[in-house]
Amino acid sequence: QVQLVESGGGLVQTGGSLRLSCAASTTGFSDYDMGWYRQAPGKQRELVAIIPRGGLANYADSVKGRFTISRDNAKNTVYLQMSTLKPEDTAVYYCSARLLFTYWGQGTRVTVSS
């Protein structure tokens, strides 16, 4: 079982920045593929960024050049640095950890005001 706890969400103006964190309570964190997803009101959950255990990060086209995913395996934590935020980035952001199964955090809300 993996428990994921996100933090760092909040209210920010257009053009601002936020950094989300996701702390994982598990052994073998470095073996997991970690990701960030988001779900806007009335929309399906969508992939934002993933960082595989040993590979390169991948991003949704909508966030390329603005968001950066990173991980600190010593701290069992994955981050999402979000810059140049837009109102359309408003959503609940979820952290995921995948090995044999996919685990989800409870989400953290990001609101970008225009």
Side-chain angles (χ1 to χ4, degrees), residues 2-106:
V2 179
Q3 291 189 326
L4 303 171
V5 179
E6 302 100 332
S7 61
L11 174 64
V12 63
Q13 291 185 332
T14 296
S17 299
L18 282 175
R19 188 177 83 154
L20 306 183
S21 300
C22 171
S25 60
T26 183
T27 57
F29 175 80
S30 62
D31 291 331
Y32 286 81
D33 297 332
M34 301 300 297
W36 286 97
Y37 290 73
R38 68 186 180 187
Q39 188 166 16
K43 295 187 177 181
Q44 291 188 332
R45 191 173 299 189
E46 63 176 3
L47 173 68
V48 176
I50 57 172
I51 184 165
R53 62 179 182 174
L56 296 175
N58 285 284
Y59 299 90
D61 288 343
S62 59
V63 307
K64 281 181 181 177
R66 299 189 298 121
F67 291 10
T68 301
I69 188 171
S70 61
R71 64 192 296 165
D72 185 337
N73 290 335
K75 295 183 178 180
N76 282 17
T77 301
V78 62
Y79 304 96
L80 185 68
Q81 178 67 47
M82 306 186 294
S83 303
T84 320
L85 283 160
K86 305 175 182 179
E88 51 263 44
D89 295 318
T90 295
V92 177
Y93 284 71
Y94 297 90
C95 175
S96 72
R98 184 182 70 182
L99 190 56
L100 296 178
F101 304 101
T102 300
Y103 301 91
W104 297 93
Q106 83 288 349

